[in-house]
């Protein structure tokens, strides 16, 4: 292998490496989107198909809510105040 061929091979491998680095995040994004789509489809079908009384695993329980009361954040309070001011000034 001559020096010119070796330089060509190194250049080609360098370009392919850069191409892989540029394409890799897009591939990860596609894989993530497909996983999310699959999870959404499974959620739309409902939990009764996955685990329910028909399969002998017992009744499906509702999700329990937290016993703590929810308090609006400062951002919500600020937005509500500005919204009411706009309504009054109109």
């Amino acid at each position: 292998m001559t020096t010119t061929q070796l330089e060509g091979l190194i250049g080609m491998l360098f370009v392919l490496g850069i191409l892989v680095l540029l394409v890799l995040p897009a591939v990860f994004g596609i894989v993530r989107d497909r996983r999310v789509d699959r999870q959404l489809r499974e959620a739309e079908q409902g939990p009764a198909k996955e685990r329910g009384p028909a399969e002998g695993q017992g009744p499906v329980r509702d999700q329990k809510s937290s016993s703590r009361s929810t308090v609006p954040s400062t951002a919500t309070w600020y937005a509500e105040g500005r919204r009411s001011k706009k309504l009054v000034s109109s």
Side-chain angles (χ1 to χ4, degrees), residues 5-81:
Q5 290 174 334
L6 186 60
E7 287 176 357
L9 179 64
I10 291 171
M12 185 176 63
L13 291 175
F14 184 73
V15 169
L16 287 175
I18 290 175
L19 180 68
V20 167
L21 287 176
L22 290 174
V23 171
L24 203 58
V27 171
F28 285 146
I30 291 169
V31 169
R32 181 177 176 268
D33 285 346
R34 295 184 97 176
R35 185 181 70 232
V36 169
D37 288 343
R38 186 186 71 238
Q39 290 172 348
L40 287 173
R41 264 187 268 115
E42 289 173 357
E44 284 176 354
Q45 291 174 355
K49 282 194 170 188
E50 294 173 8
R51 58 186 192 280
E55 295 179 6
Q57 295 181 357
V60 177
R61 291 192 224 162
D62 292 333
Q63 183 178 358
K64 293 181 180 179
S65 64
S66 174
S67 60
R68 297 186 316 175
S69 65
T70 58
V71 179
S73 68
T74 304
T76 306
W77 172 81
Y78 180 74
E80 287 293 326

